[in-house]
Every structure is written in structure tokens, then in C-alpha cells.
Amino acid sequence: MIEKAVRILRRGGVVAFPTETVYGLGARVFDESAIRKVFKVKGRPGDNPLIVHISDMKQLELVAGSVPDRAKRLIKHFWPGPLTLVFHKKKSVPDLVTAGLPTVAVRMPNHAVAKRMIRLLGEPVAAPSANISGRPSATTFESARQELEGKADMILKGEPSRYGLESTVVDCTVSPFRLLRPGSVTLEQLNKIVKVRPMASKAKGAQKSPGLKHKHYQPNCEVLPLSGAEWKKGLIKLIKAGKKIGVLSLKAPVPKDPHIVFSEKFRGRESQYAKKLYSSFYRAEKEHVDVLAVQSTGKTGLGLAIMDRITRAGGKA
Ligand code: AMP
Ligand code: MG
């Protein structure tokens, strides 16, 4: 199957494939018409750049200009893995890939299928998440199929993504480095290796990382974050309003009530919350809930990424 995917990529096709973060929709990075197809299939705005996926350090040289020593230390610690680094780009990288930016975002995935596909192809693959633009990222084969069946030239099968959130993005073209998007590699982990500043305010961040300004991660039901303190009252209000409710609880108790049609309880484990977040969004759609009540986390560790996704899924950021 992977060999077939590589043949399709070589012919200018687009292939959805599993990674450890979320499923990606890939095309050969140097094939402009294939890249155009990625944007078209997803309905992705042209000013939202793609992440370039590589399988070895030689491929980094094909797309990135100079790589600072501090970035090499991050690479040593976190690659292959859920960390994307932004560098000055090589001229050969089509402007379409970087949405006209002079920089390129690069990641080396740690997933057997993704690695093998890129290695066999022998060149980098540009890939955004395998979902229609603005919708939750696909983290399971079923979600990728729901979003892209008949649109992508092939969808490679894999297990549910291990992390379930998009990669952490760090800008390595500024000093100190800056976090552009929180993800499964936490700011605390990064700062143990090199100094990385927290995300800039929304306005500045949107300039630097254009994708941040678009609608993102939204299922076709309301996503309502509730803190532990608001939890009980918030759920009772929804029940009284006669809403059909789905619930994602980090650790708050979930009342038994016929209005609550499904609940996921993560027993205090943020990694499970992250992993199941988007598949729960897809489930909420299938169950036709009106509101998905999601428990807020703290904003440290993995909580920073979870809060980023649930506030944006709720349309509040
Ligand atoms: P997605 O593939 O949907 O996870 O989105 C990729 C995200 O990576 C974009 O929305 C940007 O926020 C970020 N990104 C990609 N390329 C760059 C770049 N050259 N500079 C800054 N951020 C980038
Ligand atoms: Mg995406």
C-alpha cells in the first residue's frame, strides 16, 4: 500500500496518511500542481502555509537555509517527533507551500507509515492536516475517510494518532526562538533545551504565522469550554434548556441525565484528553449533539495546547 501511495505522489497525486500527531494530506513539495491540489481538496486559504515533512536530515538541506546550533539541539532531542521548526527557506521551495513567506516549517514525523512513505519517495512531502479546512483535524482513519474520500487520490490506513493534536511550532528565525503554536511537545520541555518564548499576542502571532487567523478545528456543533468551577451549573443550564449534550471531562463528575448522550472521562490524564479530543468532536457530530461541553484544563504543560484547540473550536479565539 505504501508503494502505491509513493507511485501516486510521483504522478502528482495527493495522499492522506497517518502520523503520530494527526493524519496528513501530502503532496511532493516541489510539485506545484500537486500542492495546488492539496489547497483545492481541503478548501484551504492560500495564505495558510503547509508544513514540510522529511524522513532524514539530508532532506532538511533541500528545503531549509541555515539551521542555527540551538535549533540543532532541539532537533537532537525532539526529532523524529511532534515538533515543527521554522527556518529561512531555500529558493527551490515553491511560494505556494509557504504562502509567500520567506520561511519554511519543517517536521520529521515519528510514525512508521509516514517515515516509510517519505523515505521511499526520497524527497520531502508538504502536508496539512487531512480534513476540510476549518474542521477538526482527522486523528483516525475513519475521520480522514469521512473528510477526504473521493477527494484525495488515496487514504493510507493506520491506527488512531498517538498524540491527537497538531505539532508544536517553533520559529527558529528569531532570537530567542518563539512558540507559534502549542502542541504535544510542551513549552516547559522545550525550555529545558533552549530558550523559547511563549506565543505572541493574537494580533502579532497572526502576522507571523498566518494560519492562526483562520477558523480552525470547528465541528458542526457548539463547543463550550467550562472550568471546574462552572462545570455543574453550566451542565444544569444546558439540561434545563433541553439541549442534546456531549461531555468531555478531564476529571469533573458527569451527572446521569438523558440529555447527556455521550461522555468521555479522562480521569485527570491530559494526554488521553489530547488524544481523544478530535475523535470526540467527530463523535459529537455523529450523535447530533447541540453542545459539546468540554472541561477546561490549566494552561501549563499539555494543557496549553488543549486550551488553544478548545477555545478555537468554540470560535472564541
Ligand atoms: P496545519 O498543517 O493545518 O497543521 O497548519 C500548519 C500551520 O503551521 C500553519 O497554519 C501555520 O500556523 C504554521 N506554519 C506553517 N508554515 C509556517 C511558516 N513558514 N511560518 C510560520 N508558521 C508556519
Ligand atoms: Mg489543519
Side-chain angles (χ1 to χ4, degrees):
M1 286 310 254
I2 298 180
E3 287 77 5
K4 185 177 169 199
V6 170
R7 281 199 298 277
I8 289 172
L9 289 169
R10 287 210 176 106
R11 275 194 241 119
V14 297
V15 173
F17 62 102
T19 85
E20 78 278 29
T21 56
V22 302
Y23 277 62
L25 177 65
R28 283 182 60 230
V29 74
F30 300 118
D31 182 340
E32 293 206 21
S33 84
I35 298 294
R36 224 170 264 124
K37 192 166 177 193
V38 168
F39 279 92
K40 187 161 171 247
V41 162
K42 282 192 53 126
R44 184 171 174 107
D47 64 354
N48 192 358
L50 309 183
I51 292 173
V52 176
H53 293 67
I54 60 173
S55 62
D56 61 58
M57 292 304 286
K58 277 227 168 68
Q59 292 182 354
L60 179 62
E61 290 169 24
L62 297 176
V63 294
S66 69
V67 175
D69 283 341
R70 281 168 302 140
K72 288 185 184 144
R73 288 170 58 199
L74 290 179
I75 287 172
K76 199 164 162 230
H77 271 86
F78 298 108
W79 279 10
L83 177 66
T84 295
L85 301 174
V86 174
F87 301 111
H88 293 291
K89 83 172 188 81
K90 283 258 167 83
K91 262 212 181 90
S92 53
V93 178
D95 285 337
L96 276 174
V97 171
T98 64
L101 291 172
T103 53
V104 62
V106 190
R107 182 170 101 80
M108 190 188 287
N110 188 9
H111 187 286
V113 174
K115 278 200 282 201
R116 180 129 191 277
M117 184 184 82
I118 302 167
R119 198 178 329 116
L120 283 179
L121 180 69
E123 57 183 305
V125 166
S129 49
N131 53 274
I132 301 303
S133 195
R135 299 206 5 95
S137 300
T139 55
T140 64
F141 175 62
E142 290 71 30
S143 302
R145 216 160 58 173
Q146 179 188 322
E147 293 291 287
L148 297 175
E149 182 102 87
K151 295 180 177 145
D153 296 303
M154 183 177 178
I155 303 176
L156 274 173
K157 196 170 180 177
E159 296 293 306
S161 297
R162 176 169 152 213
Y163 294 108
L165 294 180
E166 303 79 0
S167 58
T168 305
V169 182
V170 171
D171 186 355
C172 299
T173 68
V174 291
S175 191
F177 292 171
R178 186 178 293 274
L179 183 69
L180 295 179
R181 176 174 75 185
S184 292
V185 174
T186 66
L187 195 55
E188 292 85 348
Q189 286 174 312
L190 292 167
N191 271 303
K192 279 192 188 140
I193 312 300
V194 299
K195 181 169 179 196
V196 176
R197 279 211 211 142
M199 277 201 293
S201 66
K202 196 183 161 201
K204 280 191 197 151
Q207 270 169 22
K208 187 77 199 176
S209 193
L212 296 181
K213 70 174 185 249
H214 295 291
K215 168 169 145 9
H216 244 115
Y217 319 125
Q218 296 180 2
N220 61 16
C221 63
E222 185 188 344
V223 175
L224 179 67
L226 292 170
S227 68
E230 299 163 323
W231 187 252
K232 204 170 162 197
K233 248 187 167 170
L235 288 181
I236 289 172
K237 199 170 154 196
L238 293 174
I239 290 168
K240 280 198 174 139
K243 302 280 189 193
K244 197 167 171 186
I245 309 161
V247 170
L248 305 185
S249 159
L250 177 60
K251 53 188 168 202
V254 180
K256 278 211 164 37
D257 188 283
H259 289 89
I260 298 177
V261 294
F262 83 92
S263 65
E264 293 273 4
K265 297 175 206 130
F266 303 115
R267 303 182 206 297
R269 288 175 302 172
E270 289 188 339
S271 58
Q272 283 304 305
Y273 197 166
K275 182 173 178 175
K276 291 278 190 72
L277 185 69
Y278 292 132
S279 57
S280 302
F281 285 6
Y282 280 94
R283 179 167 176 198
E285 291 186 339
K286 281 230 163 66
E287 308 249 8
H288 301 288
V289 310
D290 301 309
V291 185
L292 183 65
V294 298
Q295 189 180 358
S296 304
T297 65
K299 286 197 176 175
T300 56
L302 198 48
L304 187 67
I306 296 172
M307 283 310 289
D308 172 72
R309 305 310 191 272
I310 64 183
T311 40
R312 295 213 267 149
K316 293 279 156 43

